Amino acid sequence: MPMPWFLLSLALGRSPVVLSLERLEGLQDAARCSPGLSCHLWDGDVVCLPGSIVSAPGPVLVPTSLQTELVRRCYQETDCDLCVRVAVHLAVHGHWEKPEDEEKLGRAADPEPEEPRNASLQAQVVLSFQAYPTARCVLLEVQVPAALVQPGQSVGSVVFDCFEAALGTEVQIWSYTQPRYQKELNLTRQLPALPWLSVTADGDNVHLVLDVSEEQSFGLSLYWNQVQGPVKPWWHRNLTGPQTIPLNQTDIVPCLCIQAWPLEPDSVRTSICPFTEDPRAHRNLWRAARLQLLPPRGWRLDAPCSLHAQATLCWQAPSRGPCQPLVPPLPRENVTVNMALEFPLLKGHPNLCVQVSSWEKMQLQLQECLWADSLGPLKDDMLLVEAGGPQDNRSFCALEPSGCTPLLSRASTRAARLGEQLLQDLHSGQCLQLWDDDLGALWACPMDKYIHQRWVLVWLACLLFAAALFLLFLLKKDHVKAAATGRAALLLYSADDAGFERLVGALASALCQVPLRVAVDLWSRRELSAQGPLAWFHAQRRRTVQEGGLVVLIFSPGAVALCHEWLQDAGPAPGAHGPHDAFAASLSCVLPDFLQGRAPGRYVGAYFDGLLHADAVPALFRAVPVFSLPSQLPAFLGSLQGPRGPRPGRLGERAEQVARALQPALDSCLRTPGTAGMGRGMGPEAGDRT
């Protein structure tokens, strides 16, 4: 039953015309003749042997022309293939020869010779078909009745159904008779291609372009055309109209094929494989190939396509150098993908690996130490290669990066130095035999004991070096600890009121984050009560000076007043200040340092913006740097941290952190009635009376 087939219509022209192809049912080939002839198709294909041309004994049937037609051969309801129908036109060649007696005597021939002239003709016609990769030959027997036997006249044709082929292929057809009375007929046809299906590439972007009309619906499938097993599509879509489908560049392999068919009953599926010669596809194939472990000593190379490759075992040393092929003595084997393989080993070893190399370049493409998971990590064993020969004439060499070094040689390699010991280990049964045949044997000899002897002195040196480092660490421990916690700073202030004490406490806490090791009487009330302010100050001052720190004199209106009392009256009246006022007690020690010139490098001064004027600080104490806080915080922090302080950018960040911590407490002091005025009232006339 004829059925529209839109794939051929698109292949034969850009306009979507419809071409009807006859449908053939079943798998069997068939032959039929034109009326009046009888024909028979031999079962199975025959061998194509045209032979030499012979003379015709009389009228014979010969093929005169060939004609082809495309049909569909359908195996199931919706599974059809393209098929080429061939029609062979036949004619009678030659004529009956007159008997020699009749020619000599000039009389009519005997009636008996007239019988062959009215006999039927029979011929064996051969059809030879080639369309890569298919080649077939079939034999047709044709009989012509006597009534149709007229020399030089056509008698009809015989039709053969059919030779399968694919769109886009070139087919060649020959026809001749057995025996052959003339040169065989030859017909070459190019079946329609698929101009509507193309693959475009722009860099790494690959697209499948289908140029069909909008009303056409078709199925599209991508699959790997593997040698073994049925076709298994891994991408399938039903589409309508023109399409541009992006392809993943990594999915392009040589055996990637594209199959298309109309979404109609009894449609023919057409396939193309456009990447068979694409170098990028071959590179992707090697990247996609994987070696898989098959215990105990088997392996398999999984790949979407067949690989033209060879595999061999190699020996991988723990040094992670190149894996050394064991060829010879072991042979190379051709690789069949997706099939379990096994090397003829007696024992497995974790250092034995598989190399898979391309036939074309013979460069290492894949390598896996397949049995490392089951046999453990790589071992520092020496592989001995035993060459074949008489029992007393066997030779041994050790496989090393430089090659196979003969044992007992004078080479400077490790195997040559340990040659005698390795032979003793081999003869005493300490080596593991991995492979053995008439060509030789492979032995894996442990090297652990030799490595231990070699590394004893190295380990001893390492232990001595570690002990020296530990002693150096102990010596530097105190210095490192001090560096990690920061420089020491002792804060001295006068407790004018509760708000000012909170401000000093905020400054001390912020300085601890710089980091500095801060000491302040606010955090040592219990020690002050137990020791007394003077004893506490002496102990803190001595520790700070010994550690290279600084004593910070924080000036306030109350502190300035106390300094004036000491400078004018040689000290305040006993009991004039609280029991915890360390500032008042410290002046008896601080003033001598300033008077005797020992203050620079040990002391710095500071006062808070808005609470005290700079000129209010007594002149005696200006022998050391005096900083206004928080306006001069970067310089203040730089003086406290010393020359090993952070870089300027980092110092500025820390100054901003301290300023943010001080500002709330400073604002609280400035809002307290009368507090701000204290700073403004302590002018130059009140600040320097010495």
Side-chain angles (χ1 to χ4, degrees), residues 439-452:
L439 297 177
L442 296 177
W443 304 82
C445 298
M447 299 292 289
D448 296 342
K449 58 182 178 181
Y450 305 113
I451 296 174
H452 293 162

Side-chain angles (χ1 to χ4, degrees), residues 511-549:
L511 292 179
C512 288
Q513 303 300 321
V514 170
L516 291 170
R517 290 182 292 115
V518 179
V520 63
D521 63 352
L522 277 173
W523 299 343
S524 306
R525 296 296 192 188
R526 183 174 300 177
E527 296 179 12
L528 282 171
S529 299
Q531 301 176 12
L534 188 59
W536 180 85
F537 168 73
H538 275 293
Q540 295 297 328
R541 174 181 171 277
R542 183 173 59 254
R543 180 184 304 168
T544 301
V545 172
Q546 288 177 351
E547 294 179 357

Side-chain angles (χ1 to χ4, degrees), residues 321-342:
C323 195
Q324 296 172 276
L326 302 180
V327 179
L330 289 178
R332 295 186 183 272
E333 292 189 3
N334 293 334
V335 175
T336 303
V337 298
N338 306 323
M339 179 178 293
L341 301 171
E342 186 170 335

Side-chain angles (χ1 to χ4, degrees), residues 223-228 251-256 281 285 288-289 301-308 336-338:
Y223 66 94
W224 289 326
N225 187 24
Q226 296 178 332
V227 176
Q228 299 96 3
D251 291 335
I252 296 176
V253 291
C255 64
L256 177 62
L285 176 59
L301 180 63
D302 293 327
C305 311
S306 298
L307 277 171
H308 299 291
T336 303
V337 298
N338 306 323

